Amino acid sequence: QVQLVESGGGLVQAGGSLRLSCAGSGGTFSSFAMGWLRQAPGKEREFVAGISRNGENTYYSDSVKGRFTISRRNAENTVYLQMNGLKPEDTAVYYCAAGSGSAYGSRWYRRIANWDYWGQGTQVTVSS
């Protein structure tokens, strides 16, 4: 059973930075595409960023492109999300997710149903 545990959320002022981490266990970490998704109050869960199994390909939603960076260290079973230039609209619960499918192309990463395993989420709050 794959388990994902996020950490690093918190309260930050607009323009600030946070780094989220997600530690995986219970499976072969490098065999999964990894992603970060978020859900704000009253809104649907949405894709934020994704990274291929070997880390060579990354994908971002338009709303975070240029501000967020996803990375992974397979030797440490960890994926990260560096968030810079945070805005109040980035406030949400951020979820780490792992996918075992084809993970080919940006459309695959954006489809919520393609993510097989989820962490419990970490709250990110950006004050104005």
Side-chain angles (χ1 to χ4, degrees):
Q1 181 71 16
V2 175
Q3 292 186 328
L4 303 171
V5 179
E6 303 98 335
S7 61
L11 173 64
V12 64
Q13 289 187 335
S17 298
L18 282 175
R19 189 193 197 201
L20 305 183
S21 300
C22 171
S25 62
T28 304
F29 189 78
S30 60
S31 70
F32 294 99
M34 298 299 297
W36 289 94
L37 299 95
R38 68 187 181 187
Q39 188 165 18
K43 295 188 177 181
E44 294 185 353
R45 195 168 296 189
E46 64 174 359
F47 167 78
V48 174
I51 188 166
S52 60
R53 292 172 171 83
N54 61 9
E56 289 187 355
N57 297 301
T58 57
Y59 306 88
Y60 299 94
S61 67
D62 290 342
S63 62
V64 307
K65 194 175 297 182
R67 299 188 296 124
F68 291 10
T69 302
I70 188 171
S71 60
R72 67 189 296 166
R73 292 183 180 175
N74 286 341
E76 299 176 3
N77 291 354
T78 305
V79 62
Y80 304 96
L81 185 67
Q82 178 66 43
M83 304 186 295
N84 299 329
L86 283 161
K87 304 176 181 180
E89 51 264 44
D90 294 318
T91 295
V93 176
Y94 283 71
Y95 297 91
C96 173
S100 59
S102 65
Y104 180 76
S106 62
R107 285 189 180 180
W108 186 95
Y109 287 83
R110 296 173 189 275
R111 188 168 181 261
I112 303 300
N114 284 339
W115 299 102
D116 300 306
Y117 303 99
W118 296 81
Q120 82 288 351
T122 185
Q123 176 70 46
V124 171
T125 302
V126 184
S127 63
S128 58

